[in-house]
C-alpha cells in the first residue's frame, strides 16, 4: 500500500522537474527583469513603509510609530497640496477623456488622411514635460508678450495672468497637461474604436440607426474597457504630477501654493527639509489614495459585468 501511495507522488515530482527543465530558458530570460523589480520596485516600497514609522534622514533614524502620519494628516500644507492634486486630477481626467474620445471618433470616421492626423496629434507626446512647461510658460506669459495674451489683445481683452493668478493657475496647468497627453490618449482611443466589429454597425444601419445613434448605443458601450483603462492610467499619472508644476511654480508651488502637489510636498520634506520619515508617510498616504481611486474606478465600470 505504501509503494502504491508513493507512486503518484513520485510521478508528480518527476513531472515538476521536467516542467522546470523544459522552461529553464524562459526562467533565465525572466530572471534579470524579476531581479530588477525586486531591487528597484519592491525593496524601495518596503523601505518607504519602514521609513514612514521613523524619524530619519534616509541614513539613520529612530522609531516614531504613527507620529509621522499624525503630522502629515494634520498638516495644512499637505491638505492644500492634496486639494490641488485632486483638483487637477479630476478636472484633467474629465477633460482629457471627453476631448480625446471625441477627437479619436472624428479621426476614425475619416476615409482618408487617418495616418496624417494620427501623427499630427501624437507629436506633442514626444516632447518632454520639462520642455512643455517651458513652452507654456511663454504661451501663458502674463503680459502682452505672451502668445495667448497677444491674440486676446487683438480682440481688446486685457492681459490675463494665467500662471500667476491663483484662480487660474491650476486650470492653466490642466490645459497644459491636456496638450501634451492628447496624442497618446487619442491613439489609445483609436485602437479601441477600431477593435469594434464592423458587423454591429452594418446591422444597426439596416435597422435605420443614425450616425449619432450608432455612436451613442454601439460605440460608447463597446469602449467601456478602454474608458476603464484610460481613466485609471490618467488618474495615476495626474496624482503623481511633479516635474511640470515644479518648473512653473517652483518648490513652493506658487502662485499662493496653488500649484503645490502631493509629490511636491514629498520632495520638499525628503530633499529640502531632510525629513525622510514625514515624506515617506506622505508617500504611503498618496499610495493609499491612488489605490482607492483605482479600485473605485474598476468597481464603477465593471459592476454590471
Amino acid at each position: 500500500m505504501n509503494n502504491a501511495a508513493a507512486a503518484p507522488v513520485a510521478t508528480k515530482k518527476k513531472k515538476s522537474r521536467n516542467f522546470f527543465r523544459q522552461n529553464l530558458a524562459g526562467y533565465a530570460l525572466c530572471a534579470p527583469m524579476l531581479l530588477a523589480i525586486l531591487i528597484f520596485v519592491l525593496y524601495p516600497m518596503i523601505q518607504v513603509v519602514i521609513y514612514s514609522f521613523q524619524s530619519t534622514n534616509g541614513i539613520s533614524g529612530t522609531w516614531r510609530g504613527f507620529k509621522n502620519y499624525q503630522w502629515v494628516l494634520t498638516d495644512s500644507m499637505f491638505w492644500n497640496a492634496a486639494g490641488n492634486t485632486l483638483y487637477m486630477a479630476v478636472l484633467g481626467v474629465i477633460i482629457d477623456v471627453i476631448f480625446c474620445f471625441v477627437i479619436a471618433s472624428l479621426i476614425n470616421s475619416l476615409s482618408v488622411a487617418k495616418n496624417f492626423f494620427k501623427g499630427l496629434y501624437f507629436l506633442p507626446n514626444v516632447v518632454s514635460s520639462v520642455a512643455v512647461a517651458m513652452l507654456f510658460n511663454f504661451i501663458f506669459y502674463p503680459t502682452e508678450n505672451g502668445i495667448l495674451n497677444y491674440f486676446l489683445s487683438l480682440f481688446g481683452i486685457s492681459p490675463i495672468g494665467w500662471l500667476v493668478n491663483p484662480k487660474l493657475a491650476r486650470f492653466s496647468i490642466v490645459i497644459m497637461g491636456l496638450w501634451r497627453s492628447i496624442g497618446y490618449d487619442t491613439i489609445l482611443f483609436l485602437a479601441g474604436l477600431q477593435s469594434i466589429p464592423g458587423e454591429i454597425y452594418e446591422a444597426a444601419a439596416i435597422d435605420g440607426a443614425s450616425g449619432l445613434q450608432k455612436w451613442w448605443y454601439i460605440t460608447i458601450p463597446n469602449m467601456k474597457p478602454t474608458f476603464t483603462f484610460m481613466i485609471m492610467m490618467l488618474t495615476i499619472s495626474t496624482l503623481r504630477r511633479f516635474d511640470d508644476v515644479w518648473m512653473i511654480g517652483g518648490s513652493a508651488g506658487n502662485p499662493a501654493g496653488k500649484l503645490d502637489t502631493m509629490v511636491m510636498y514629498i520632495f520638499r520634506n525628503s530633499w529640502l527639509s531632510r525629513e525622510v520619515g514625514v515624506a515617506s508617510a506622505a508617500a504611503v498616504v498618496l499610495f493609499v489614495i491612488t489605490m482607492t481611486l483605482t479600485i473605485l474606478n474598476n468597481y464603477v465600470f465593471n459592476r454590471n459585468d
Side-chain angles (χ1 to χ4, degrees):
M1 291 293 292
N2 292 337
N3 292 335
V9 176
T11 303
K12 186 180 292 187
K13 290 183 178 180
K14 185 177 181 180
K15 288 182 178 179
S16 299
R17 286 195 297 268
N18 290 336
F19 178 83
F20 179 79
R21 290 171 182 171
Q22 292 171 359
N23 296 276
L24 185 59
Y27 292 133
L29 291 172
C30 293
M33 180 58 68
L34 293 175
L35 185 62
I37 292 174
L38 288 173
I39 295 175
F40 298 110
V41 178
L42 292 180
Y43 173 74
M45 290 177 64
I46 295 172
Q47 195 64 47
V48 164
V49 174
I50 295 173
Y51 281 158
S52 69
F53 294 101
Q54 296 179 342
S55 175
T56 176
N57 58 4
I59 300 175
S60 61
T62 56
W63 190 259
R64 289 195 70 189
F66 289 94
K67 290 183 179 179
N68 288 330
Y69 290 97
Q70 182 180 358
W71 173 271
V72 169
L73 296 177
T74 56
D75 188 2
S76 60
M77 295 184 66
F78 172 79
W79 288 112
N80 174 66
N84 295 333
T85 304
L86 291 175
Y87 173 92
M88 289 186 278
V90 173
L91 187 62
V93 169
I94 292 173
I95 295 176
D96 192 288
V97 168
I98 294 175
F99 189 78
C100 292
F101 178 61
V102 172
I103 294 295
S105 298
L106 293 174
I107 295 177
N108 192 54
S109 65
L110 296 175
S111 56
V112 294
K114 280 187 180 182
N115 291 332
F116 169 76
F117 284 103
K118 287 180 184 178
L120 180 66
Y121 280 101
F122 192 77
L123 278 177
N125 191 70
V126 304
V127 183
S128 70
S129 56
V130 174
V132 171
M134 295 176 65
L135 172 64
F136 272 82
N137 206 13
F138 179 65
I139 293 175
F140 288 143
Y141 201 72
T143 68
E144 290 185 358
N145 294 326
I147 296 176
L148 184 55
N149 280 333
Y150 171 78
F151 281 105
L152 292 177
S153 67
L154 299 178
F155 301 94
I157 301 175
S158 302
I160 299 174
W162 299 100
L163 295 174
V164 297
N165 187 337
K167 296 181 180 179
L168 296 174
R170 294 184 300 184
F171 180 75
S172 301
I173 290 295
V174 170
I175 299 302
M176 181 183 71
L178 172 64
W179 183 84
R180 183 172 185 265
S181 64
I182 183 174
Y184 179 78
D185 298 341
T186 299
I187 294 298
L188 288 180
F189 275 123
L190 267 172
L193 289 169
Q194 293 172 359
S195 67
I196 302 174
E199 294 81 2
I200 303 178
Y201 292 103
E202 294 174 2
I206 294 173
D207 291 336
S210 64
L212 183 60
Q213 288 175 325
K214 294 177 187 176
W215 188 71
W216 184 258
Y217 292 105
I218 297 176
T219 303
I220 293 181
N222 280 278
M223 287 290 291
K224 187 169 71 170
T226 306
F227 279 122
T228 305
F229 174 77
M230 288 297 300
I231 292 174
M232 179 180 66
M233 296 306 296
L234 285 170
T235 300
I236 295 172
S237 175
T238 51
L239 286 177
R240 58 184 180 86
R241 193 164 208 155
F242 172 75
D243 43 5
D244 53 354
V245 291
W246 185 82
M247 285 291 299
I248 292 175
S251 60
N254 291 317
K258 290 298 183 180
L259 297 184
D260 194 11
T261 64
M262 284 191 280
V263 177
M264 191 89 74
Y265 180 89
I266 295 169
F267 170 80
R268 283 199 307 272
N269 280 281
S270 59
W271 292 101
L272 301 183
S273 302
R274 301 304 297 173
E275 292 288 347
V276 177
V278 173
S280 299
V284 173
V285 173
L286 175 58
F287 172 79
V288 172
I289 293 174
T290 305
M291 183 64 68
T292 301
L293 292 177
T294 301
I295 294 172
L296 181 63
N297 170 62
N298 290 329
Y299 170 76
V300 170
F301 279 91
N302 297 318
R303 58 183 175 178
N304 295 324
D305 291 347

